[in-house]
Amino acid sequence: MAASDPEKLMIKADKLTKLSLTRWSADWKSAIGLYEQAANGFRLAKNYEKAKVAFEKASRGQEMLSSPWDAAKHMESAAALAKELSNWSEVADFYRRASELYIECGRSQAASDALAKAHSYEIKYGILILPYFSVLEDTAPDEAIRLYIDACEILEEDGKEQMAFDLYRAATSVYIKLEKYDDAATFLLRLGLAADKCNATHSQCKAYLSAIIVYLYANDFKQAEKCYNDCCQIDAFFSSDQNRCASKLFSAYTDGDVEEIKRVAQSSTVKNLDHMIIRLAKKLPTGEVSALKAEQEEALDEDDLT
């Protein structure tokens, strides 16, 4: 059984990759097989650190053999082990490298998926596999956002915006958790633009209404109003239920009618938005709407004088 000892397999594989007086070129093909066996052996023994290193070396070997697809798969295996070790910086680095390798062999969807996986930790309980839990969003939110943006850009460049919808929403959610409401609204508008390119009108209109609600929650009425006016220039939104809902919200705000704001914010149109937006809408209004009403009346009085 000595041949299956992962420690000895690693030593043997390392020797095959090093040049010597008797070996003038590295035997990567043979070494990769040994690294793979060692990685699986270490993983079965729950020695995740050494298994990770073995997969890294196997990935490097596949790169040396000009096999980016196999190199990417091994790099993803290394990333999964880094997750087991709670080494989040390595998780991000490995998945990003896997993404680059997938791009190298023309697999844009796999590249995007690899980046998205950097945020998730697969929780297993018996035979039940629970949904991915976004670990990086809690431990390194800025890195999570950057990876989401990278993933979106890969799909955008490949004309596959519709596959990125969930990534846009995930990035928006992180921005909201960080209370970066301008960035959240901007990303929702970006989702709206992507939906427009896919002729996904309903998703487009929901994204625009969501952006308006984010601005209102941030108590930035002027930016919300500007966003609304810009969105109304788009025919699909102008004739939508989402536009009618936004219009009612603005009317309630300008009237200083808190109860009407709350009623509209809990309407069926708003309840059909993403949960992160529904939660914000339930807290409207966040500012003093009576002061807003006074400003509106003062502006009207100035107009009358002119």
Side-chain angles (χ1 to χ4, degrees), residues 13 23 28 46-47 80 97 161 163 186 192 205-206 228 296:
R23 182 180 295 106
W28 282 106
K46 297 188 183 302
N47 190 334
R97 181 55 188 151
E161 286 86 353
M163 293 182 179
T186 298
C205 295
K206 286 172 64 176
Y228 173 70
Q296 295 288 328

Side-chain angles (χ1 to χ4, degrees), residues 42-300:
F42 283 131
R43 186 162 55 185
L44 285 172
K46 297 188 183 302
N47 190 334
Y48 297 132
E49 179 62 38
K50 290 187 176 181
K52 172 176 66 70
V53 171
F55 276 122
E56 283 185 82
K57 291 186 175 185
S59 178
R60 174 59 179 160
Q62 294 292 2
E63 284 190 72
M64 296 300 292
L65 296 180
S66 300
S67 181
W69 171 264
D70 291 319
K73 300 300 285 186
H74 285 318
M75 192 56 68
E76 286 202 82
S77 295
L81 290 163
K83 285 181 180 179
E84 294 287 349
L85 296 164
S86 298
N87 191 333
W88 309 123
S89 61
E90 281 195 344
V91 170
D93 288 342
F94 290 158
Y95 275 127
R96 190 180 299 109
R97 181 55 188 151
S99 177
E100 292 169 355
L101 290 164
Y102 282 130
I103 290 172
E104 193 176 320
C105 57
R107 301 297 293 272
S108 62
Q109 181 61 55
S112 176
D113 289 345
L115 287 175
K117 284 177 185 176
H119 317 290
S120 56
Y121 182 66
E122 190 176 30
I123 303 171
K124 295 184 178 180
Y125 183 75
I127 60 171
L128 175 64
I129 300 179
L130 301 177
Y132 283 116
F133 175 67
S134 300
V135 177
L136 278 183
E137 292 179 7
D138 296 324
T139 58
D142 290 332
E143 179 68 6
I145 287 172
R146 196 174 75 80
L147 288 174
Y148 279 135
I149 291 172
D150 287 348
C152 288
E153 288 177 350
I154 289 170
L155 291 171
E156 287 171 350
E157 289 173 6
D158 210 37
K160 297 177 179 177
E161 286 86 353
Q162 192 160 5
M163 293 182 179
F165 283 8
D166 286 341
L167 296 172
Y168 290 119
R169 295 186 183 102
T172 300
S173 178
V174 180
Y175 277 132
I176 289 173
K177 288 177 183 176
L178 294 175
E179 299 183 358
K180 295 184 177 181
Y181 300 116
D182 282 345
D183 290 327
T186 298
F187 224 76
L188 284 165
L189 293 173
R190 183 170 169 178
L191 168 57
L193 179 61
D196 183 35
K197 291 180 180 179
C198 303
N199 295 317
T201 303
H202 191 57
S203 294
Q204 178 187 9
C205 295
K206 286 172 64 176
Y208 291 153
L209 176 58
S210 296
I212 292 166
I213 289 173
V214 169
Y215 281 128
L216 290 175
Y217 178 81
N219 202 27
D220 191 344
F221 184 82
K222 289 183 178 178
Q223 191 59 43
E225 192 172 40
K226 181 181 182 301
C227 179
Y228 173 70
N229 290 334
D230 289 342
C231 291
C232 282
Q233 303 304 310
I234 301 167
D235 290 340
F237 181 75
F238 187 75
S239 59
S240 69
D241 290 338
Q242 287 76 23
N243 174 38
R244 286 184 282 276
C245 179
S247 179
K248 290 177 182 178
L249 271 176
F250 281 109
S251 294
Y253 266 89
T254 53
D255 290 342
D257 191 338
V258 173
E259 291 306 313
E260 178 64 6
I261 292 170
K262 290 181 177 180
R263 189 191 68 78
V264 176
Q266 295 182 43
S267 65
S268 59
T269 302
V270 173
K271 288 180 178 178
N272 282 323
L273 301 176
D274 291 320
H275 291 302
M276 59 185 170
I277 305 300
I278 295 172
R279 283 195 293 270
L280 298 185
K282 285 180 178 179
K283 298 177 183 178
L284 295 179
T286 53
E288 184 54 61
V289 295
S290 58
L292 177 62
K293 182 181 180 181
E295 288 178 15
Q296 295 288 328
E297 289 174 348
E298 185 179 338
L300 287 172

Side-chain angles (χ1 to χ4, degrees), residues 299-306:
L300 287 172
D301 289 341
E302 290 176 359
D303 290 341
D304 290 341
L305 291 174
T306 57

